[in-house]
Amino acid sequence: MYTAHPDRYAEMPYRRTGRSGLKLPAISLGLWHNFGPADRTVETQRAILRRAFDLGVTHFDLANNYGPPPGAAESAFGEALKADLAAYRDELIISTKAGYLMWPGPYGEWGSRKYLLSSLDQSLTRMGLDYVDIFYSHRPDPETPLEETMGALHTAVQQGKALYVGISNYSAEQTREAARILGELGTPLLIHQPRYSMLDRRPEDGGLLDALDELQVGSIVFSPLEQGLLTGRYLDGIPEDSRAASDSPFLNSDAVTEDLVQQLRELNDIAKGRGQTLAQLALAWVLRGGRVTSALVGASSPKQIEDSVGTIANLDFDAEELARIEAIVKGA
């Protein structure tokens, strides 16, 4: 029988999400790649969740299509929740999303009211929950009116199946419009989940972070370690067992150039000077200054979540460090 560590809230910083009353841990656990597949044992998955919660990670982020196969992550999480964490449900933030392909036919993806609400019902069944804390539109639908998509999120809250709503992969302009529609409906936009890292500046360059500041909407970033490039695994090239070596759809070997490896080595030198690993530097960088509410990390072992949470020991940068990072990343 699992009993959570009594000091689980002693170290983790919790940040207010936009102008809401909800606080999220600086480090959240995403169940994108490592939950559900047959090559990941049930006990390993449960051990990761237990260790994360013992370290103050209260937020577990899922989506309907996480696995593989789609739905597997939610099912695996539901079993782990029932076995270990059910007694702590009111201490947890559990989120899921809908937007990508889940079942055949015209109603199995994108942003229609039909798809979003049907998918949420399926997600709740897989996880054995009455509600999720946050329900996201996973991507904008170019063919469905935004009023319909946001209306479906509002309905999920009205039905008591979600406490808050969010969006992911929306542009700055789309985010402003989504926030306006939701505000008029009476269900505020809580949070945006964009991809963001030292190597991927689109939320900065496209004005998304500025829009979120203006709207007072929270943010939780995915791929802050750039699909593993910022973990230190590629400091000597491409390891045989790495994601890049497998030509993953998320990272292929062509991306790991000599110039990139040199950048990673220089960033690693900065990390060493801060007493951090490269991964911890990358996580601290996205969390710097408080613009980002939380950083999503994956974990294939309890040790990995421990390393990620170790980031919180040093989240501050001086101007010289930030300038050096900019010079390295932008090739100045």
Side-chain angles (χ1 to χ4, degrees):
M1 175 71 72
Y2 166 71
T3 300
H5 196 288
D7 296 329
R8 58 191 175 277
Y9 297 115
E11 302 294 336
M12 177 67 70
Y14 297 89
R15 297 178 166 193
R16 188 168 301 280
T17 311
R19 64 178 181 274
S20 78
L22 185 69
K23 293 182 178 181
L24 293 180
I27 303 294
S28 296
L29 182 60
L31 309 186
W32 182 9
H33 290 307
N34 297 306
F35 278 73
D39 62 351
R40 186 81 64 214
T41 68
V42 170
E43 183 49 44
T44 296
Q45 295 175 82
R46 288 176 57 187
I48 292 167
L49 293 172
R50 292 193 301 262
R51 188 62 183 134
F53 188 51
D54 282 345
L55 292 169
V57 177
T58 54
H59 180 211
F60 301 106
D61 180 78
L62 299 105
N64 58 356
N65 64 322
Y66 288 176
E74 289 179 329
S75 295
F77 178 76
E79 290 299 318
L81 183 68
K82 180 180 178 181
D84 297 322
L85 295 171
Y88 303 99
R89 174 64 182 99
D90 291 337
E91 296 182 43
L92 304 178
I93 301 297
I94 300 169
S95 61
T96 196
K97 316 176 195 73
Y100 288 94
L101 182 64
M102 277 301 291
W103 60 86
Y107 320 119
E109 64 177 327
W110 292 108
S112 72
R113 181 179 182 85
K114 166 72 172 174
Y115 165 69
L116 290 173
L117 295 178
S118 296
S119 180
L120 178 56
D121 284 342
Q122 292 181 20
S123 292
L124 293 174
T125 297
R126 281 190 289 268
M127 291 187 284
L129 295 173
D130 295 324
Y131 70 95
V132 291
D133 297 277
I134 308 171
F135 181 48
Y136 289 86
S137 167
H138 206 165
R139 60 173 173 172
D141 183 345
E143 297 184 348
T144 297
L146 194 56
E147 288 82 0
E148 179 177 340
T149 300
M150 295 304 105
L153 297 184
H154 171 66
T155 294
V157 172
Q158 296 280 88
Q159 292 176 340
K161 295 176 181 179
L163 301 185
Y164 301 92
V165 299
I167 56 177
S168 182
N169 299 303
Y170 280 56
S171 70
E173 181 180 356
Q174 290 166 331
T175 297
R176 285 191 173 92
E177 183 64 5
R180 182 192 66 78
I181 295 167
L182 284 168
E184 290 178 355
L185 291 171
T187 297
L189 176 62
L190 173 79
I191 195 166
H192 190 297
Q193 186 173 135
R195 179 169 178 161
Y196 183 47
S197 75
M198 286 194 291
L199 301 180
D200 186 343
R201 303 298 186 85
R202 284 173 292 180
E204 292 176 11
D205 299 339
L208 177 62
L209 294 183
D210 290 337
L212 297 178
D213 287 344
E214 172 191 321
L215 297 166
Q216 293 183 278
V217 169
S219 60
I220 179 167
V221 300
F222 71 91
S223 294
L225 304 181
E226 201 59 29
Q227 293 297 311
L229 286 176
L230 291 168
T231 62
R233 294 204 71 200
Y234 297 90
L235 295 175
D236 297 311
I238 303 175
E240 290 184 3
D241 61 344
S242 67
R243 186 169 294 164
S246 69
D247 280 330
S248 160
F250 306 107
L251 179 66
N252 60 61
S253 57
D254 292 341
V256 188
T257 63
E258 290 185 12
D259 287 344
L260 175 61
V261 170
Q262 181 58 34
Q263 285 181 320
L264 297 177
R265 289 171 178 166
E266 293 176 17
L267 291 170
N268 191 52
D269 288 339
I270 296 176
K272 287 180 180 179
R274 290 169 50 85
Q276 292 181 316
T277 65
L278 177 56
Q280 289 170 338
L281 172 73
L283 292 172
W285 185 88
V286 298
L287 291 167
R288 75 198 186 286
R291 291 190 89 186
V292 168
T293 312
S294 183
L296 273 170
V297 300
S300 58
S301 67
K303 178 64 165 59
Q304 283 193 349
I305 193 66
E306 291 170 3
D307 291 345
S308 293
V309 171
T311 301
I312 65 176
N314 188 5
L315 295 177
D316 296 323
F317 291 82
D318 61 36
E320 181 183 355
E321 287 173 326
L322 292 174
R324 287 177 64 197
I325 290 170
E326 290 304 288
I328 292 167
V329 171
K330 297 187 177 179

